[in-house]
Amino acid sequence: MELYQRYGRALLRKAERVLGNREDAQDVVQDLFTDLLESSSMDLTLPYLYRAVTNRCLNMIRDHKTRKRLLEVKVV
């Protein structure tokens, strides 16, 4: 995919900065491009892709915090 070749490394660096974890960053970027292949998104500019990666990273952080909180409540 041309978009991945053009923007993949930059998006991976962005996700890694937000998440602080290379494996999670790779998962976020891979999920984004998988979703892009399945949909016909119109606006595939770099700013759009940065927003999409950032939002997915923030969702992952939120989900991890929620899961951790729920597990702590369940253990107590």
XYZ file of all heavy atoms in Angstrom:
631
model
N 0.845 -1.178 0.000
C 0.000 0.000 0.000
C 0.887 1.237 0.000
O 1.785 1.376 0.820
C -0.927 -0.032 1.209
C -1.745 1.215 1.391
S -2.791 1.145 2.845
C -4.342 1.474 2.093
N 0.630 2.118 -0.919
C 1.440 3.326 -1.085
C 1.401 4.218 0.159
O 2.423 4.785 0.555
C 0.949 4.110 -2.300
C 1.721 5.391 -2.529
C 1.115 6.244 -3.625
O 0.406 5.712 -4.480
O 1.371 7.451 -3.605
N 0.230 4.338 0.786
C 0.122 5.175 1.982
C 1.023 4.681 3.102
O 1.655 5.463 3.797
C -1.320 5.215 2.486
C -2.276 6.117 1.748
C -3.681 5.951 2.297
C -1.841 7.556 1.853
N 1.103 3.371 3.273
C 1.950 2.818 4.327
C 3.416 3.106 4.031
O 4.165 3.485 4.927
C 1.723 1.321 4.498
C 2.514 0.783 5.656
C 2.068 0.952 6.951
C 3.740 0.157 5.456
C 2.808 0.498 8.033
C 4.481 -0.302 6.516
C 4.013 -0.129 7.808
O 4.755 -0.566 8.865
N 3.821 2.937 2.786
C 5.206 3.220 2.425
C 5.538 4.686 2.640
O 6.637 5.025 3.069
C 5.463 2.825 0.974
C 5.443 1.332 0.755
C 5.590 0.959 -0.703
O 5.440 1.795 -1.593
N 5.866 -0.313 -0.952
N 4.574 5.554 2.374
C 4.810 6.985 2.489
C 4.763 7.463 3.944
O 5.599 8.268 4.358
C 3.771 7.757 1.670
C 4.076 9.248 1.610
C 3.064 10.035 0.832
N 2.775 9.427 -0.453
C 1.738 9.754 -1.204
N 0.897 10.664 -0.803
N 1.526 9.169 -2.358
N 3.787 6.986 4.722
C 3.541 7.545 6.052
C 3.740 6.577 7.215
O 3.686 6.982 8.369
C 2.104 8.075 6.130
C 1.781 9.141 5.122
C 0.657 9.021 4.314
C 2.578 10.265 4.979
C 0.333 9.999 3.390
C 2.268 11.242 4.049
C 1.149 11.100 3.263
O 0.837 12.066 2.357
N 3.943 5.309 6.923
C 4.004 4.295 7.973
C 5.024 4.580 9.059
O 4.720 4.508 10.256
N 6.248 4.915 8.681
C 7.288 5.166 9.688
C 6.963 6.371 10.561
O 7.163 6.334 11.770
C 8.647 5.337 9.019
C 9.263 4.007 8.644
C 10.636 4.178 8.078
N 10.447 4.239 6.622
C 11.184 4.915 5.788
N 12.210 5.601 6.221
N 10.926 4.911 4.504
N 6.452 7.424 9.955
C 6.108 8.631 10.728
C 4.971 8.333 11.702
O 5.001 8.773 12.859
C 5.713 9.767 9.783
N 3.984 7.576 11.249
C 2.854 7.233 12.118
C 3.293 6.307 13.242
O 2.831 6.438 14.380
C 1.740 6.587 11.300
C 1.092 7.503 10.258
C 0.143 6.712 9.380
C 0.397 8.677 10.914
N 4.213 5.406 12.956
C 4.734 4.511 13.976
C 5.500 5.298 15.044
O 5.338 5.058 16.242
C 5.634 3.449 13.346
C 6.188 2.380 14.265
C 5.067 1.633 14.973
C 7.063 1.418 13.487
N 6.307 6.268 14.613
C 7.037 7.116 15.577
C 6.069 7.900 16.453
O 6.252 8.005 17.662
C 7.985 8.064 14.846
C 9.234 7.409 14.322
C 10.263 8.419 13.851
N 9.745 9.375 12.886
C 9.773 9.219 11.564
N 10.299 8.117 11.048
N 9.289 10.130 10.758
N 5.029 8.439 15.837
C 4.015 9.196 16.583
C 3.339 8.304 17.626
O 3.211 8.670 18.793
C 2.976 9.761 15.611
C 1.751 10.360 16.222
C 2.025 11.687 16.847
C 0.706 12.340 17.247
N 0.912 13.592 17.906
N 2.912 7.123 17.213
C 2.236 6.207 18.129
C 3.178 5.772 19.250
O 2.767 5.674 20.408
C 1.723 4.983 17.366
N 4.430 5.546 18.920
C 5.395 5.127 19.941
C 5.644 6.244 20.956
O 5.787 5.978 22.150
C 6.698 4.701 19.279
C 7.602 3.932 20.191
C 8.784 3.315 19.464
O 8.834 3.370 18.221
O 9.664 2.777 20.153
N 5.667 7.488 20.497
C 5.823 8.615 21.431
C 4.642 8.701 22.386
O 4.814 8.950 23.573
C 5.967 9.938 20.671
C 7.342 10.197 20.141
C 7.523 11.638 19.687
N 6.484 12.123 18.798
C 6.516 12.044 17.468
N 7.532 11.486 16.868
N 5.538 12.534 16.745
N 3.449 8.505 21.876
C 2.246 8.605 22.713
C 2.160 7.432 23.686
O 1.872 7.615 24.875
C 0.973 8.682 21.842
C -0.275 8.622 22.705
C 0.969 9.946 20.987
N 2.424 6.226 23.191
C 2.224 5.027 23.999
C 3.449 4.626 24.821
O 3.314 3.959 25.847
C 1.824 3.849 23.096
C 0.492 3.997 22.375
C 0.321 2.875 21.356
C -0.656 4.021 23.364
N 4.624 4.994 24.342
C 5.845 4.608 25.039
C 6.155 3.121 24.900
O 6.914 2.581 25.695
N 5.581 2.473 23.903
C 5.737 1.035 23.743
C 5.688 0.714 22.256
O 4.682 0.965 21.595
C 4.606 0.322 24.496
C 4.675 -1.174 24.392
O 5.027 -1.731 23.367
N 4.318 -1.828 25.483
N 6.749 0.152 21.739
C 6.830 -0.117 20.294
C 5.804 -1.155 19.826
O 5.210 -0.998 18.767
C 8.228 -0.565 19.914
C 8.393 -0.784 18.418
C 9.734 -0.294 17.957
N 9.890 -0.447 16.526
C 9.874 0.564 15.684
N 9.713 1.783 16.129
N 10.051 0.376 14.410
N 5.593 -2.204 20.614
C 4.653 -3.254 20.196
C 3.226 -2.715 20.098
O 2.507 -2.999 19.137
C 4.693 -4.452 21.154
C 5.975 -5.262 21.082
C 7.108 -4.665 21.910
O 6.818 -3.911 22.869
O 8.268 -4.937 21.589
N 2.812 -1.941 21.098
C 1.470 -1.345 21.049
C 1.365 -0.364 19.885
O 0.334 -0.298 19.213
C 1.133 -0.643 22.366
C 0.839 -1.617 23.493
O 0.589 -2.812 23.207
O 0.851 -1.179 24.662
N 2.429 0.390 19.642
C 2.438 1.348 18.537
C 2.276 0.617 17.200
O 1.513 1.055 16.334
C 3.723 2.165 18.553
N 2.969 -0.491 17.048
C 2.837 -1.272 15.818
C 1.413 -1.789 15.655
O 0.870 -1.779 14.547
C 3.826 -2.444 15.817
C 5.254 -2.003 15.653
C 6.255 -3.128 15.849
O 6.001 -4.063 16.607
N 7.390 -3.021 15.183
N 0.810 -2.234 16.748
C -0.576 -2.707 16.688
C -1.525 -1.604 16.247
O -2.413 -1.828 15.419
C -1.026 -3.246 18.046
C -0.384 -4.568 18.410
O 0.176 -5.237 17.510
O -0.433 -4.932 19.598
N -1.345 -0.407 16.795
C -2.220 0.723 16.451
C -2.092 1.067 14.975
O -3.102 1.226 14.274
C -1.892 1.955 17.335
C -2.515 3.213 16.775
C -2.363 1.720 18.759
N -0.875 1.170 14.485
C -0.664 1.541 13.078
C -1.187 0.438 12.156
O -1.845 0.721 11.150
C 0.824 1.851 12.809
C 1.079 2.071 11.325
C 1.250 3.092 13.605
N -0.927 -0.805 12.507
C -1.426 -1.906 11.688
C -2.953 -1.921 11.653
O -3.553 -2.096 10.591
C -0.916 -3.240 12.224
C -1.386 -4.420 11.396
C -0.831 -5.735 11.907
O 0.027 -5.768 12.770
N -1.336 -6.819 11.372
N -3.593 -1.711 12.803
C -5.061 -1.665 12.840
C -5.601 -0.523 11.990
O -6.614 -0.679 11.301
C -5.559 -1.524 14.280
C -5.403 -2.807 15.087
O -5.191 -3.879 14.479
O -5.489 -2.722 16.324
N -4.931 0.627 12.042
C -5.368 1.767 11.240
C -5.337 1.421 9.755
O -6.324 1.633 9.040
C -4.488 2.993 11.511
C -4.723 4.187 10.583
C -6.122 4.747 10.757
C -3.671 5.249 10.809
N -4.230 0.873 9.293
C -4.127 0.569 7.867
C -5.048 -0.578 7.461
O -5.565 -0.592 6.339
C -2.670 0.309 7.470
C -1.909 1.590 7.259
C -1.103 2.107 8.250
C -2.033 2.296 6.071
C -0.419 3.296 8.070
C -1.364 3.492 5.876
C -0.554 3.994 6.874
N -5.285 -1.514 8.353
C -6.251 -2.576 8.071
C -7.640 -1.983 7.872
O -8.354 -2.333 6.928
C -6.275 -3.608 9.213
O -4.974 -4.177 9.345
C -7.292 -4.700 8.950
N -8.012 -1.053 8.761
C -9.317 -0.399 8.627
C -9.397 0.441 7.361
O -10.450 0.507 6.713
C -9.620 0.464 9.852
C -9.908 -0.363 11.093
O -10.121 -1.598 10.965
O -9.913 0.221 12.199
N -8.302 1.089 7.001
C -8.294 1.905 5.784
C -8.484 1.032 4.543
O -9.134 1.454 3.587
C -6.993 2.697 5.665
C -6.812 3.842 6.658
C -5.425 4.450 6.505
C -7.881 4.906 6.483
N -7.908 -0.155 4.555
C -8.079 -1.065 3.418
C -9.523 -1.524 3.277
O -10.014 -1.736 2.174
C -7.174 -2.293 3.578
C -5.699 -2.091 3.299
C -4.919 -3.349 3.677
C -5.459 -1.739 1.844
N -10.212 -1.669 4.412
C -11.586 -2.154 4.403
C -12.601 -1.063 4.089
O -13.721 -1.357 3.711
C -11.912 -2.794 5.748
C -11.128 -4.061 6.008
C -11.320 -4.610 7.406
O -12.051 -3.996 8.205
O -10.723 -5.654 7.693
N -12.212 0.186 4.294
C -13.144 1.283 4.033
C -12.646 2.116 2.865
O -11.509 1.995 2.427
C -13.292 2.162 5.274
O -12.104 2.902 5.485
N -13.489 2.979 2.404
C -13.085 3.896 1.339
C -13.058 5.309 1.901
O -13.852 6.155 1.541
C -14.053 3.793 0.159
O -15.357 4.085 0.598
N -12.139 5.524 2.819
C -12.021 6.830 3.444
C -11.578 7.853 2.401
O -10.703 7.587 1.587
C -11.009 6.759 4.592
O -10.982 7.969 5.282
N -12.181 9.025 2.458
C -11.899 10.036 1.451
C -10.665 10.863 1.769
O -9.864 11.148 0.916
C -13.101 10.963 1.311
C -14.332 10.274 0.788
S -15.750 11.357 0.920
C -16.531 10.631 2.341
N -10.482 11.248 3.015
C -9.432 12.182 3.410
C -8.248 11.402 3.977
O -8.197 11.127 5.163
C -9.994 13.165 4.449
C -8.972 14.202 4.852
O -8.025 14.435 4.084
O -9.129 14.786 5.940
N -7.303 11.046 3.143
C -6.158 10.273 3.595
C -4.880 11.108 3.561
O -3.841 10.664 3.101
C -6.003 9.007 2.748
C -7.163 8.038 2.858
C -6.948 6.840 1.953
C -7.371 7.591 4.288
N -4.981 12.314 4.064
C -3.820 13.183 4.154
C -3.059 12.871 5.432
O -3.570 12.211 6.336
C -4.258 14.663 4.162
O -5.065 14.879 5.325
C -5.042 15.016 2.910
N -1.830 13.344 5.513
C -1.025 13.090 6.700
C -1.674 13.649 7.971
O -1.696 12.943 8.988
C 0.392 13.641 6.522
C 1.379 13.300 7.633
C 1.500 11.796 7.831
C 2.739 13.906 7.339
N -2.237 14.849 7.967
C -2.909 15.321 9.194
C -4.057 14.398 9.642
O -4.214 14.138 10.830
C -3.432 16.711 8.818
C -2.527 17.162 7.731
C -2.176 15.907 6.967
N -4.817 13.888 8.688
C -5.894 12.950 9.028
C -5.316 11.687 9.659
O -5.810 11.192 10.674
C -6.703 12.580 7.778
C -7.643 11.431 8.025
C -8.883 11.640 8.609
C -7.273 10.125 7.708
C -9.745 10.583 8.864
C -8.124 9.060 7.968
C -9.353 9.300 8.545
O -10.185 8.249 8.796
N -4.263 11.153 9.073
C -3.657 9.926 9.586
C -3.052 10.145 10.970
O -3.155 9.276 11.839
C -2.607 9.407 8.601
C -3.168 8.944 7.253
C -2.029 8.654 6.281
C -4.071 7.737 7.418
N -2.424 11.310 11.190
C -1.901 11.630 12.529
C -3.028 11.671 13.558
O -2.896 11.155 14.661
C -1.171 12.976 12.532
C 0.302 12.888 12.230
C 0.896 13.801 11.382
C 1.119 11.929 12.819
C 2.253 13.743 11.103
C 2.465 11.864 12.552
C 3.026 12.773 11.699
O 4.365 12.711 11.431
N -4.144 12.302 13.202
C -5.297 12.349 14.115
C -5.821 10.957 14.400
O -6.145 10.620 15.544
C -6.425 13.202 13.517
C -6.378 14.653 13.885
C -7.668 15.403 13.527
N -8.321 15.007 12.288
C -8.046 15.503 11.089
N -7.127 16.422 10.955
N -8.709 15.091 10.021
N -5.913 10.152 13.359
C -6.430 8.796 13.524
C -5.526 7.976 14.436
O -6.007 7.271 15.332
C -6.567 8.121 12.157
N -4.220 8.076 14.261
C -3.276 7.340 15.115
C -3.346 7.857 16.542
O -3.379 7.077 17.497
C -1.841 7.425 14.553
C -0.812 7.045 15.602
C -1.696 6.518 13.349
N -3.375 9.169 16.705
C -3.443 9.749 18.048
C -4.704 9.296 18.772
O -4.654 8.891 19.938
C -3.389 11.285 17.981
O -2.156 11.670 17.357
C -3.468 11.901 19.364
N -5.838 9.342 18.097
C -7.098 8.915 18.718
C -7.053 7.442 19.104
O -7.511 7.060 20.185
C -8.275 9.180 17.786
C -8.598 10.648 17.683
O -8.237 11.429 18.548
N -9.264 11.029 16.607
N -6.497 6.609 18.257
C -6.399 5.183 18.571
C -5.453 4.946 19.751
O -5.705 4.081 20.586
C -5.940 4.398 17.343
C -7.026 4.282 16.299
C -6.476 3.758 14.976
N -7.512 3.768 13.971
C -8.159 2.691 13.563
N -7.873 1.516 14.069
N -9.089 2.784 12.639
N -4.378 5.715 19.821
C -3.457 5.597 20.952
C -4.142 6.001 22.253
O -4.014 5.314 23.274
C -2.216 6.471 20.736
S -1.102 5.874 19.464
N -4.852 7.112 22.222
C -5.557 7.569 23.422
C -6.622 6.564 23.843
O -6.817 6.324 25.043
C -6.155 8.957 23.191
C -5.138 10.077 22.965
C -5.855 11.376 22.632
C -4.220 10.236 24.158
N -7.306 5.966 22.878
C -8.287 4.923 23.198
C -7.615 3.726 23.853
O -8.138 3.162 24.817
C -9.033 4.472 21.944
C -10.009 5.507 21.446
O -10.392 6.424 22.174
N -10.401 5.376 20.190
N -6.445 3.352 23.350
C -5.730 2.220 23.927
C -5.309 2.520 25.360
O -5.465 1.679 26.256
C -4.505 1.866 23.081
C -3.722 0.678 23.616
S -2.313 0.255 22.585
C -3.120 -0.839 21.416
N -4.810 3.721 25.603
C -4.410 4.122 26.960
C -5.618 4.083 27.884
O -5.563 3.546 28.991
C -3.758 5.522 26.948
C -2.393 5.450 26.252
C -3.620 6.074 28.355
C -1.802 6.811 25.928
N -6.731 4.651 27.423
C -7.949 4.663 28.231
C -8.432 3.248 28.526
O -8.782 2.923 29.658
C -9.044 5.446 27.507
C -10.333 5.583 28.337
C -11.524 5.965 27.502
N -11.800 4.882 26.569
C -12.092 5.058 25.280
N -12.157 6.260 24.773
N -12.334 4.033 24.489
N -8.416 2.396 27.514
C -8.874 1.027 27.699
C -7.991 0.267 28.683
O -8.489 -0.503 29.511
C -8.926 0.288 26.364
C -10.007 0.834 25.440
O -10.881 1.601 25.914
O -9.964 0.503 24.239
N -6.676 0.477 28.611
C -5.764 -0.180 29.556
C -6.027 0.288 30.986
O -6.035 -0.525 31.919
C -4.305 0.076 29.184
C -3.810 -0.751 28.039
N -3.915 -2.118 27.984
C -3.197 -0.391 26.887
C -3.391 -2.569 26.867
N -2.957 -1.535 26.175
N -6.239 1.588 31.148
C -6.518 2.121 32.492
C -7.832 1.576 33.033
O -7.937 1.211 34.211
C -6.551 3.650 32.466
C -5.187 4.288 32.335
C -5.294 5.794 32.339
C -3.937 6.436 32.198
N -4.024 7.904 32.196
N -8.843 1.524 32.183
C -10.141 1.005 32.610
C -10.033 -0.467 32.987
O -10.555 -0.891 34.017
C -11.191 1.190 31.497
O -11.297 2.586 31.199
C -12.541 0.651 31.913
N -9.346 -1.241 32.156
C -9.171 -2.669 32.436
C -8.425 -2.870 33.755
O -8.813 -3.703 34.577
C -8.398 -3.326 31.291
C -8.296 -4.824 31.419
C -7.631 -5.467 30.207
N -8.345 -5.168 28.973
C -7.827 -4.487 27.953
N -6.603 -4.021 28.005
N -8.530 -4.266 26.866
N -7.387 -2.078 33.973
C -6.608 -2.182 35.216
C -7.486 -1.846 36.425
O -7.465 -2.543 37.431
C -5.402 -1.254 35.157
C -4.520 -1.328 36.369
C -3.330 -0.405 36.239
C -2.507 -0.429 37.509
N -1.371 0.479 37.423
N -8.259 -0.783 36.305
C -9.141 -0.371 37.401
C -10.179 -1.452 37.705
O -10.430 -1.795 38.861
C -9.827 0.950 37.066
C -10.586 1.542 38.251
C -11.339 2.803 37.887
N -12.574 2.419 37.212
C -12.901 2.750 35.968
N -12.109 3.485 35.247
N -14.048 2.357 35.439
N -10.760 -2.031 36.672
C -11.764 -3.068 36.859
C -11.152 -4.321 37.500
O -11.772 -4.962 38.349
C -12.428 -3.427 35.543
C -13.358 -2.361 34.962
C -13.816 -2.759 33.570
C -14.529 -2.100 35.873
N -9.954 -4.663 37.102
C -9.299 -5.814 37.696
C -8.963 -5.571 39.164
O -9.072 -6.475 39.987
C -8.023 -6.170 36.916
C -8.258 -6.819 35.562
C -6.939 -6.956 34.810
C -8.955 -8.149 35.692
N -8.565 -4.340 39.506
C -8.273 -4.014 40.907
C -9.532 -4.092 41.753
O -9.493 -4.588 42.878
C -7.645 -2.626 41.004
C -6.225 -2.558 40.505
C -5.682 -1.144 40.445
O -6.440 -0.178 40.708
O -4.496 -0.996 40.117
N -10.647 -3.640 41.236
C -11.905 -3.686 41.956
C -12.346 -5.138 42.141
O -12.808 -5.522 43.209
C -12.997 -2.879 41.207
C -14.375 -3.147 41.783
C -12.681 -1.399 41.249
N -12.173 -5.946 41.121
C -12.582 -7.341 41.179
C -11.729 -8.132 42.149
O -12.231 -9.021 42.854
C -12.495 -7.966 39.791
C -13.125 -9.319 39.709
C -13.181 -9.813 38.279
C -13.953 -11.113 38.208
N -14.132 -11.545 36.841
N -10.451 -7.814 42.286
C -9.536 -8.525 43.180
C -9.839 -8.183 44.634
O -9.785 -9.032 45.500
C -8.060 -8.191 42.853
C -7.126 -8.737 43.891
C -7.709 -8.739 41.474
N -10.224 -6.944 44.885
C -10.489 -6.500 46.256
C -11.752 -7.047 46.755
O -12.447 -7.806 46.837
C -10.567 -4.954 46.344
C -11.005 -4.508 47.699
C -9.258 -4.361 45.931
